[in-house]
Amino acid sequence: MNPIAAVGRMFLSVSDTVGGITLTLARILRAASRLRFDRDETWLNLYKVGVKSYPIVIMTAIFTGAIMVIQSGQYVKQTGATGLLGWGAGYAVLAEVGPVLIGLMFSGRVGANNTAELGTMKVTEQIDALRALAIDPMQHLVVPRFLAMVVMLLLLTALGDLFALVGGALTSQFILDVDWRVFFNGVFNSQLLDEYLVGLTKGVTFGASISVVSCFYGLGVSGGAAGVGRAVNNCVVTSAIGIFVWDYIITYLAN
Amino acid sequence: MRDDPMAHALPWLKPALGRLPEKPVVLRVSGLTKWFGDVCVLDRVDFEMREGEVVGLIGPGGAGKTVFVKICCGLMDPDGGQIEILGENLLELKEKQRQRLRERIGLVFQNYALFDFMTVGDNVAFPMKQRGGATLAEIEAKVQERLTEVDLPKVRHLMPNELSGGMKKRVGLARANINDPELIFFDDPTAGLDPVTSSKIFNLIRKTQAHRNSTCLVISHDIDRMRPACDRYILLYEARVHFAGTEAEAMAATDPIVREFFRKEAGLK
Ligand SMILES: Nc1ncnc2c1ncn2[C@@H]1O[C@H](COP(=O)(O)OP(=O)(O)O)[C@@H](O)[C@H]1O
Ligand SMILES: [Mg+2]
C-alpha cells in the first residue's frame, strides 16, 4: 500500500474517532444538563458499577501502596530518613500512581463491560427496540452510565488512595521495620492535600473519558459478535490512551 | 370480523370496502429510496395505507421489507423520498418529535429484540411504565391480559433466553401492543411458529385491529394463513413495488412474477 495513503487513512480514522467521541460527550452533557435521564437506571448503575469494582480497586490500591514503599525502602534504610517514607509513597500514590492504576483497572472492568453490553444490545436490535418504544437510549442507557461511572470512579479513587496508604503502612511496619505511625506521620506532615485533590480530579476526568469512550464504541458496534469483540478491544485501548493523555494534561496544569 | 357488518354479509366485497376512499391516510410513502453502499435496496417505492386497513407486505427474502418498515418508524433514514405518517412529515421531524410520534406506533421486530436483562413480564410492561400515568396494578393486569392474548399466560417470570423463538415472537407482539398503538408494523410475526399458532396470531391481529380500529402492515411469507387477516397486499420485488392490490387482482394478474409468487405461495398448502 502507498505509505502516504496509509498515513492519510490513519489520520482520518483517528479524527473520526476523536470527532465521534466528542460528539457523544456533547450529547451526554446536553441531556444530563437538562436533567433528562432515567433516575432508576442511574441508581441501578451506581450500584452495579460500585459493587462490581470495589474489590478489585482495593486490591490494586493496597499493592500499589506497598510497592511504592518497597521501592523507596532501600534508600530510606540506607539514609535512615524514615520520615521521608510517608512523603515519598504518599506523594506518588495520591497524585499519580493511584488514580492511573485504579483508572486502568476500572476501564478493564467497567468500561469493557459497558461496551460489550451496549454493543450486544445494538447488534440484537435492543437499542432500536428502545427507540421504537419511544424511549431515548441516550436518556435511558447512556447518561445513567456516564453519571454512575464518573461518580463511582471518584469515590473509588478516594477510597483506593486510603487503602494504598494502609498498604504502604503495613509494608513499612512488617517489611521495612519502620513503625506505621512514623509512616502516617510522614504522610500527614507533608501537606499532601493538594496531591490528593489533584488525584481526585484525575479520577473524575478518567471516569468521564472511560464512560464516553465505552459508550461510543458500544453504540457504534456493527457486524455481530465479532463486532462486539472489536469494539471492546478498541474501548480498552482508547480508554488507556485517554487516561494517559488526561493524566499528562492535569499533571501539567497542576504544576 | 370487521366492524362493518356489510363485510360479514358479503365477503367478496371486503377487499373493496378496505379501500373506501373516505378513510384518512395513515401512511403515505412516495419515492422512497435506500442504498446500502452501491446496492439499491428500495428504489422509488410508493405506498399508501388508510385507517383501519390491514395490508400484507410480501416479497422474497432480502427484498427490503424490514428496511422499509424501519424507515417508516424513523429508525433508519432513507436516501430519498417522502414519508407522511399519522399526519406528520417524518423526515422533517427531530428525534424528540419522532419519539413522541412513536408512542402511537407499534413495531414487532423480525428478530424479537426483547430486552434480555428483563423478565418477560417486565419486557411487556416496559413501554407502559415508561409512558407513565398507570398504577402498578393496572400495568400488571394489562401485561397479563396481553400475554394471555398471545397464548403465553404463564411465562412472565421467565427471562427471554428461556423461551423458544416462537414464544419470543409472541412476547414481542404483546410488547408492541401494550400501549394500544394506532399503527402497527408486524415484521414476520409468525416466523418459526407452528401452523396452528400462526393462524391464531393472524386472527389476533385481525381481532385487535377491528377492536381498536388500528392500521396494520403485516410482513409474512405465509400467504395462506395471512389471507383472513389482510385486506390487500403489496409485493416488493427487486427493490420496487412490483404489485399492489387485492388477492383476487393478484390471481387475475398477467404478470408472471405476481402470478408465480401468489400461486407458489398458495401451492405450499
Ligand atoms: N444495516 C444494513 N447494512 C447493509 N445492508 C443491509 C442492512 N440492512 C439490510 N441490508 C440489506 O438490505 C437488503 C434488504 O434487507 P431486509 O430489508 O432485511 O430484507 P427482507 O425483505 O428479507 O426483510 C438485504 O440485501 C440486506 O443485505
Ligand atoms: Mg426481514
Side-chain angles (χ1 to χ4, degrees):
Chain A
M1 201 200 311
N2 180 346
I4 295 178
V7 169
R9 193 162 305 145
M10 198 179 86
F11 180 76
L12 283 182
S13 107
V14 168
S15 353
D16 226 35
T17 308
V18 173
I21 290 173
T22 314
L23 206 68
T24 310
L25 176 65
R27 288 169 60 199
I28 291 176
L29 291 181
R30 197 176 58 193
S33 67
R34 294 187 191 158
L35 300 178
R36 283 208 196 123
F37 56 90
D38 192 310
R39 307 293 133 94
D40 295 345
E41 276 295 305
T42 310
W43 281 115
L44 187 71
N45 276 290
L46 279 167
Y47 174 79
K48 268 185 9 193
V49 169
V51 168
K52 207 180 291 170
S53 355
Y54 82 88
I56 205 165
V57 162
I58 288 175
M59 280 278 289
T60 314
I62 289 177
F63 277 101
T64 309
I67 291 162
M68 288 298 128
V69 167
I70 293 174
Q71 288 280 3
S72 41
Q74 297 183 23
Y75 304 100
V76 170
K77 278 254 157 144
Q78 279 168 14
T79 57
T82 50
L84 285 182
L85 193 57
W87 173 79
Y91 185 90
V93 164
L94 296 183
E96 192 60 43
V97 190
V100 169
L101 288 184
I102 292 172
L104 288 174
M105 290 311 286
F106 190 85
S107 100
R109 190 84 183 83
V110 179
N113 184 319
N114 187 39
T115 301
E117 225 171 82
L118 292 180
T120 306
M121 289 186 74
K122 176 82 190 297
V123 297
T124 55
E125 296 185 305
Q126 293 177 57
I127 305 264
D128 273 347
L130 276 179
R131 294 172 61 208
L133 294 169
I135 292 149
D136 184 354
M138 208 55 172
Q139 295 171 22
H140 189 80
L141 293 177
V142 176
V143 177
R145 280 153 206 255
F146 173 82
L147 294 175
M149 286 198 219
V150 172
V151 170
M152 274 303 159
L153 191 49
L154 171 65
L155 294 182
L156 289 170
T157 309
L159 183 78
D161 282 351
L162 301 183
F163 274 93
L165 295 181
V166 170
L170 289 176
T171 312
S172 70
Q173 171 87 47
F174 294 111
I175 297 189
L176 297 183
D177 267 339
V178 176
D179 194 275
W180 62 274
R181 277 160 295 211
V182 175
F183 176 84
F184 272 120
N185 266 335
V187 174
F188 291 121
N189 288 340
S190 42
Q191 314 275 320
L192 291 175
L193 184 64
D194 281 355
E195 275 65 35
Y196 189 53
L197 293 180
V198 168
L200 293 187
T201 313
K202 289 180 180 176
V204 171
T205 41
F206 296 169
S209 85
I210 292 168
S211 64
V212 175
V213 167
S214 64
C215 289
F216 167 74
Y217 281 114
L219 294 177
V221 167
S222 62
V228 176
R230 268 196 307 275
V232 171
N233 208 341
N234 287 336
C235 163
V236 172
V237 172
T238 312
S239 294
I241 294 173
I243 285 174
F244 290 117
V245 169
W246 281 112
D247 188 35
Y248 178 85
I249 293 174
I250 293 173
T251 308
Y252 179 81
L253 292 178
N255 285 295
Chain B
M1 240 145 124
R2 306 231 38 185
D3 41 356
D4 191 336
M6 281 300 284
H8 251 305
L10 304 167
W12 51 270
L13 251 182
K14 197 176 96 177
L17 286 173
R19 287 198 292 173
L20 282 182
E22 64 266 27
K23 292 271 176 78
V25 171
V26 174
L27 173 67
R28 178 182 286 137
V29 166
S30 47
L32 194 69
T33 302
K34 177 74 184 174
W35 293 79
F36 284 115
D38 45 13
V39 181
C40 187
V41 176
L42 295 173
D43 182 13
R44 289 162 287 162
V45 169
D46 298 320
F47 175 60
E48 196 177 281
M49 233 172 21
R50 292 179 178 274
E51 190 185 294
E53 268 190 313
V54 178
V55 178
L57 173 54
I58 55 182
K65 304 182 294 292
T66 299
V67 170
F68 176 80
V69 163
K70 285 196 172 177
I71 290 176
C72 290
C73 293
L75 297 177
M76 222 182 234
D77 277 321
D79 295 308
Q82 290 293 320
I83 302 167
E84 188 194 320
I85 186 165
L86 297 170
E88 310 261 9
N89 186 344
L90 180 73
L91 299 180
E92 280 178 5
L93 298 184
K94 297 225 178 70
E95 186 61 25
K96 200 87 222 146
Q97 298 161 303
R98 286 187 184 188
Q99 204 175 312
R100 219 162 298 136
L101 187 65
R102 290 197 200 105
E103 288 177 359
R104 301 161 60 194
I105 302 174
L107 170 58
V108 179
F109 283 79
Q110 182 166 24
N111 304 314
Y112 331 118
L114 298 181
F115 303 120
D116 51 19
F117 49 93
M118 296 179 189
T119 63
V120 166
D122 288 340
N123 259 284
V124 179
F126 184 72
M128 197 171 169
K129 275 193 191 138
Q130 290 291 320
R131 195 167 71 165
T135 66
L136 272 183
E138 282 166 358
I139 295 177
E140 290 282 291
K142 198 152 179 197
V143 168
Q144 192 58 42
E145 182 196 319
R146 288 292 186 268
L147 283 174
T148 312
E149 269 179 6
V150 293
D151 250 358
L152 293 172
K154 293 199 186 105
V155 301
R156 55 186 311 175
H157 298 297
L158 298 182
M159 298 304 280
N161 63 9
E162 296 172 296
L163 304 183
S164 74
M167 290 159 95
K168 287 186 205 172
K169 206 76 220 212
R170 287 180 278 161
V171 174
L173 211 80
R175 182 178 70 181
N177 250 319
I178 189 99
N179 278 337
D180 300 327
E182 296 161 45
L183 170 60
I184 316 180
F185 297 100
F186 298 89
D187 194 348
D188 220 343
T190 60
L193 291 186
D194 61 279
V196 177
T197 318
S198 298
S199 292
K200 274 191 192 162
I201 292 294
F202 284 122
N203 284 335
L204 175 72
I205 290 173
R206 188 83 241 190
K207 210 171 66 192
T208 38
Q209 182 282 330
H211 187 58
R212 304 194 196 114
N213 196 29
S214 50
T215 311
C216 304
L217 182 70
V218 188
I219 299 178
S220 180
H221 295 101
D222 198 354
I223 287 202
D224 274 342
R225 292 199 183 73
M226 74 199 284
R227 187 174 291 146
C230 293
D231 296 314
R232 61 190 178 90
Y233 302 87
I234 70 168
L235 169 60
L236 269 186
Y237 187 80
E238 290 183 343
R240 313 242 16 199
V241 177
H242 199 84
F243 165 82
T246 61
E247 193 192 343
E249 283 166 348
M251 291 310 216
T254 52
D255 185 301
I257 292 163
V258 177
R259 287 180 68 106
E260 196 201 350
F261 203 88
F262 274 76
R263 285 244 184 86
K264 198 177 78 192
E265 298 280 340
L268 284 175
K269 232 184 276 201

